[in-house]
């Protein structure tokens, strides 16, 4: 209460319940210095949320509030919503992984329509469903001053109809300049992607988009491809786990070759196979834009690894390459090692080959590549969950020591 120095207080995962929150709120009544408060992973519940809401209606010095993982349900969300309607200073509100259902989300939506200060809102991992998404959309649509830049609604099973409503509202709200949108694990299929695609064609602000673990499929990939082709703002795109196969990777790869802004592409858990890897590899071969490429669990096999390896002989932009869980085996590891050895790949800093059934021969090949071209050795190589004996591990460790000795660069190997 008397502290006039502390601006950021982190009380995460301390087992704090409603009684503790009441005491904390009493202490903060006379504190005008604190600006950021995290209570993540406690047991705040509705009673504690009501107390915190009452405090922040009167004391508006706290601009960042994290209440994620606190078993807050609709009553607590309603109290916080009333606070949001009055509070003009709060910039970031994290209510992720709570138990907020339709009533709570509807109240938050109404408050959002009146609030022009909140820049980041996390509602991920609650129980909004399609109806909650529609309510949120209505709040955004009614607002003429919504200032949201980050919106997280992942893990709420909003479905196609909820997604379409939300995207439509985002498009309609002229004041909204979203930079980050997280729609992971939302139950969205190709039927729910149309409005998002139109938004991607229009927006000049969205930089980060996650559709991870939905089910847009090849049809949705085709729709997204045209939007990606025309988008100029996206930097990070995650479409992993969307059941995108060979028919979907073609349009996407073509669009990515034309896109000038995307630097991180997350494509893991899509069954593109070796043929899909070949199509993507041809498109990225001379693409100097994408620096992080994640293709874990894409059923590439050794032939797919060969295609990626051939592309790496020409691509100097990729710094992080994730090929986990692709059954590369020694053959795939050897194919990659040839590119590492001959070309150098001085830009590659992180290589993830975990879960690939690589044995000692594959480890020996990578170790030889590191010794042959120490300047091109990645600074982090993950070989965990493979089938290496002490001989394969020793070879890699010796190669790591040589690289360090020759270049002064520290190389981390994970087994």
């Amino acid at each position: 209460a008397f502290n006039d120095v502390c601006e950021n207080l982190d009380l995460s995962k301390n087992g704090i319940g409603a009684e503790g929150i009441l005491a904390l709120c009493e202490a903060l009544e006379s504190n005008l210095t604190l600006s950021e408060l995290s209570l993540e992973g406690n047991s705040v519940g509705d009673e504690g949320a009501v107390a915190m809401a009452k405090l922040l209606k009167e004391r508006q010095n706290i601009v960042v509030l994290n209440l994620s993982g606190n078993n807050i349900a609709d009553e607590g969300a309603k109290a916080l919503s009333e606070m949001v309607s009055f509070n003009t200073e709060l910039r970031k509100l994290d209510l992720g992984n709570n138990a907020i259902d339709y009533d709570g989300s509807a109240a938050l939506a109404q408050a959002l329509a009146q609030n022009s200060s909140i820049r980041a809102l996390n509602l991920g991992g609650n129980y909004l469903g399609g109806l909650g998404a529609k309510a949120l959309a209505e709040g955004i649509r009614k607002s003429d001053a919504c200032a949201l830049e980050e919106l997280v609604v992942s893990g709420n099973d909003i479905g196609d109809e909820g997604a379409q409503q939300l995207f439509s509202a985002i498009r309609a709200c002229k004041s909204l300049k979203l930079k980050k949108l997280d729609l992971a694990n939302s139950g969205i299929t190709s039927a729910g992607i149309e409005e998002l695609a139109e938004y991607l064609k229009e927006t000049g602000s969205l930089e980060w988009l996650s559709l991870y673990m939905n089910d847009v499929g090849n049809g949705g990939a085709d729709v997204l491809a045209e939007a990606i082709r025309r988008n100029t703002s996206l930097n990070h795109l995650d479409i992993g786990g969307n059941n995108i196969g060979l028919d979907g990777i073609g349009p996407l790869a073509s669009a990515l070759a034309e896109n000038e802004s995307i630097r991180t592409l997350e494509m893991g858990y899509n069954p593109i196979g070796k043929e899909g890897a070949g199509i993507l590899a041809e498109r990225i071969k001379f693409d100097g834009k994408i620096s992080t490429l994640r293709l874990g669990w894409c059923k590439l096999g050794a032939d797919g690894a060969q295609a990626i390896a051939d592309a790496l002989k020409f691509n100097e932009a990729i710094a992080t390459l994730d090929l986990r869980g692709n059954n590369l085996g020694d053959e795939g590891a050897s194919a990659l090692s040839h590119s590492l050895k001959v070309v150098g790949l001085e830009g590659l800093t992180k290589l993830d080959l975990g879960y690939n059934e690589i044995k000692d021969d594959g480890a020996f090949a990578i170790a030889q590549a590191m010794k042959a071209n120490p300047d091109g050795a990645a600074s982090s190589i993950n070989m965990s969950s493979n089938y290496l004996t002490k001989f394969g591990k020793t070879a890699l460790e010796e190669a790591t020591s040589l690289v360090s000795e020759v270049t002064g660069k520290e190389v981390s190997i994970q087994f």
Side-chain angles (χ1 to χ4, degrees), residues 225-245:
E226 182 57 32
I228 291 168
R229 196 186 310 275
R230 294 168 57 177
N231 181 276
T232 59
S233 62
L234 268 185
N235 178 276
H236 177 113
L237 175 62
D238 187 347
I239 47 177
N242 269 283
N243 198 28
I244 298 170

Side-chain angles (χ1 to χ4, degrees), residues 36-59:
E36 298 186 18
L37 175 61
S38 177
L39 292 162
E40 178 185 2
N42 284 291
S43 301
V44 172
D46 285 342
E47 185 180 353
V50 170
M52 186 59 63
K54 182 180 178 182
L55 171 73
L56 294 187
K57 281 177 67 176
E58 301 170 0
R59 289 285 182 265

Side-chain angles (χ1 to χ4, degrees), residues 107-154:
L108 283 166
Q110 291 179 4
L112 199 61
Q114 303 173 49
N115 183 285
S116 61
S117 68
I118 292 181
R119 301 291 187 270
L121 176 63
N122 180 8
L123 293 173
N126 282 285
Y127 304 109
L128 271 62
L131 290 176
K134 290 179 187 178
L136 186 60
E138 191 62 25
I140 292 173
R141 196 185 301 274
K142 287 180 178 178
S143 175
D144 57 2
C146 184
L148 277 180
E149 295 178 354
E150 298 182 12
L151 177 60
V152 179
V153 289
S154 55

Side-chain angles (χ1 to χ4, degrees), residues 96-345:
N97 299 314
N98 279 293
I100 301 171
D101 211 316
Y102 169 72
D103 288 343
S105 59
L108 283 166
Q110 291 179 4
L112 199 61
Q114 303 173 49
N115 183 285
S116 61
S117 68
I118 292 181
R119 301 291 187 270
L121 176 63
N122 180 8
L123 293 173
N126 282 285
Y127 304 109
L128 271 62
L131 290 176
K134 290 179 187 178
L136 186 60
E138 191 62 25
I140 292 173
R141 196 185 301 274
K142 287 180 178 178
S143 175
D144 57 2
C146 184
L148 277 180
E149 295 178 354
E150 298 182 12
L151 177 60
V152 179
V153 289
S154 55
N156 274 289
D157 196 25
I158 66 174
D160 289 334
E161 191 172 351
Q164 291 282 55
Q165 291 283 340
L166 187 58
F167 302 147
S168 176
I170 290 172
R171 290 182 65 198
C173 184
K174 301 305 181 184
S175 67
L176 196 60
K177 305 295 181 184
L178 279 180
K179 294 181 179 180
K180 176 180 178 178
L181 180 58
D182 190 344
L183 296 160
N185 194 23
S186 290
I188 302 171
T189 72
S190 59
I193 248 11
E194 293 285 349
E195 283 287 341
L196 173 61
E198 292 304 312
Y199 173 63
L200 288 177
K201 294 174 187 177
E202 300 165 353
T203 180
S205 63
L206 193 67
E207 300 171 359
W208 193 102
L209 173 64
S210 175
L211 289 168
Y212 179 69
M213 286 298 170
N214 283 287
D215 191 19
V216 303
N218 293 329
D222 195 27
V223 173
L224 283 172
E226 182 57 32
I228 291 168
R229 196 186 310 275
R230 294 168 57 177
N231 181 276
T232 59
S233 62
L234 268 185
N235 178 276
H236 177 113
L237 175 62
D238 187 347
I239 47 177
N242 269 283
N243 198 28
I244 298 170
L246 184 59
D247 291 340
I249 193 62
L252 280 173
S254 177
L256 287 164
E258 296 183 35
N259 181 281
E260 295 292 332
S261 62
I262 293 175
R263 298 292 179 267
T264 296
L265 176 62
E266 305 255 6
M267 276 288 300
Y269 299 97
N270 283 302
I272 64 173
K274 62 182 181 182
E275 294 88 354
I279 292 171
L280 183 60
E282 280 301 309
R283 292 297 184 178
I284 66 171
K285 185 178 289 186
F286 301 106
D287 180 359
K289 301 182 291 293
I290 294 175
S291 58
T292 297
L293 179 61
R294 301 193 183 278
L295 296 170
W297 285 274
C298 284
K299 300 184 177 181
L300 304 187
D303 289 342
Q306 180 69 64
I308 298 297
D310 288 344
L312 289 177
K313 293 177 183 178
F314 302 93
N315 184 299
E316 298 181 355
I318 294 176
T320 297
L321 178 61
D322 180 0
L323 296 175
R324 286 174 296 166
N326 276 297
N327 195 25
L328 303 186
D330 290 341
E331 186 181 350
S334 296
L336 286 167
S337 72
H338 289 312
S339 291
L340 291 168
K341 184 189 299 183
V342 176
V343 182
L345 292 179

